[in-house]
Amino acid sequence: LFRDMVITSNSDLTIDSAEFWDSRFEDCAFVSCSDTAGSTTQPVMWLRNSAAASGFGNSAGNTNQIHLRNVRFEAFGTGALWIGQGTGNASNPNGFYITDCKFEADAMAGGPYLSTDNTTKNVYGEHLYVFAGGFAAGFSTAQTLISLFGANHALRDVAIGNGASANVVNGVLAHAVGGSTIVLEDIVGGYGTSPTTAHINFDDSATGRYTVKNCPTNT
């Protein structure tokens, strides 16, 4: 159990995992943690099955049943929370509960804020605030804020938007794998600048199903 914990100004991957299960993050804050601009491998928190192809950090098992409640990701650059298989692993990460959390950055430098890979199952996000304030100096590539790939996920009661910068491609990019469903409910877009693609984008290569209810946007 990680509770009442603050980590600030870490210029690297901050929380990493391998076969990590039955654990809780409650009332924690991660502030001003980021890697080099444009990094596709260094979010603040990476919940993955395996962190190495072999040896230390390698696992054939999975990361599962992790809860984040009232966790604040603030002023990050290269992504906040990513969930996935990781390196040298064939298992399905599953069972993630993300509740009453904040994802806000005013210096975006790459990567989705919240991301799940195609092997991930059962990710449930509820009561989330997701806001892209602006770009980091020298970086200008717009990003998808929530990249929701995999099976049997649900997002509910999400406020998502940006400021004056054209820094959002998609508010949500959803990709349901075959035989599964992704549920999107009350995902409300409040954008200062329109996404370059969509508030919610259903990936056209997906073969799964979607249930969508009350997902308006102002632009």
Side-chain angles (χ1 to χ4, degrees):
L1 172 63
F2 302 86
R3 177 181 288 164
D4 300 327
M5 177 178 72
V6 177
I7 295 179
T8 183
S9 305
N10 179 50
S11 300
D12 204 340
L13 178 57
T14 302
I15 300 290
D16 198 2
S17 72
E19 197 177 337
F20 179 46
W21 32 265
D22 293 345
S23 297
R24 307 290 185 269
F25 292 88
E26 296 184 356
D27 301 307
C28 295
F30 300 92
V31 182
S32 299
C33 297
S34 181
D35 196 47
T36 304
S39 172
T40 58
T41 59
Q42 301 281 37
V44 176
M45 182 182 295
W46 197 355
L47 302 180
R48 50 182 171 168
N49 293 340
S50 178
S54 62
F56 181 77
N58 174 262
S59 172
N62 67 4
T63 291
N64 65 86
Q65 300 306 311
I66 309 297
H67 293 234
L68 286 80
R69 186 181 64 83
N70 196 26
V71 174
R72 182 166 60 96
F73 295 93
E74 189 92 38
F76 52 88
T78 52
L81 172 61
W82 296 356
I83 302 169
Q85 209 168 52
T87 304
N89 184 281
S91 296
N92 297 101
N94 69 84
F96 300 87
Y97 304 87
I98 307 160
T99 308
D100 299 320
C101 292
K102 177 184 180 182
F103 301 81
E104 181 175 3
D106 56 7
M108 180 189 293
Y113 284 17
L114 172 61
S115 175
T116 66
D117 77 4
N118 223 24
T119 70
T120 307
K121 296 181 177 181
N122 307 113
V123 174
Y124 303 101
E126 189 171 25
H127 307 152
L128 307 181
Y129 175 77
V130 182
F131 189 81
F135 287 116
F139 191 83
S140 59
T141 305
Q143 302 290 320
T144 290
L145 299 187
I146 297 178
S147 181
L148 195 65
F149 279 48
N152 301 330
H153 305 323
L155 279 180
R156 292 186 173 93
D157 301 332
V158 177
I160 188 167
N162 66 351
S165 299
N167 54 7
V168 175
V169 177
N170 302 294
V172 178
L173 175 62
H175 178 106
V177 300
S180 75
T181 301
I182 288 179
V183 176
L184 302 174
E185 185 173 339
D186 298 327
I187 315 297
V188 180
Y191 299 96
T193 305
S194 297
T196 59
T197 300
H199 171 47
I200 297 176
N201 184 359
F202 302 97
D203 184 23
D204 59 10
S205 66
T207 56
R209 299 176 298 272
Y210 302 94
T211 297
V212 183
K213 179 181 178 182
N214 191 34
C215 294
T217 178
N218 66 321
T219 179

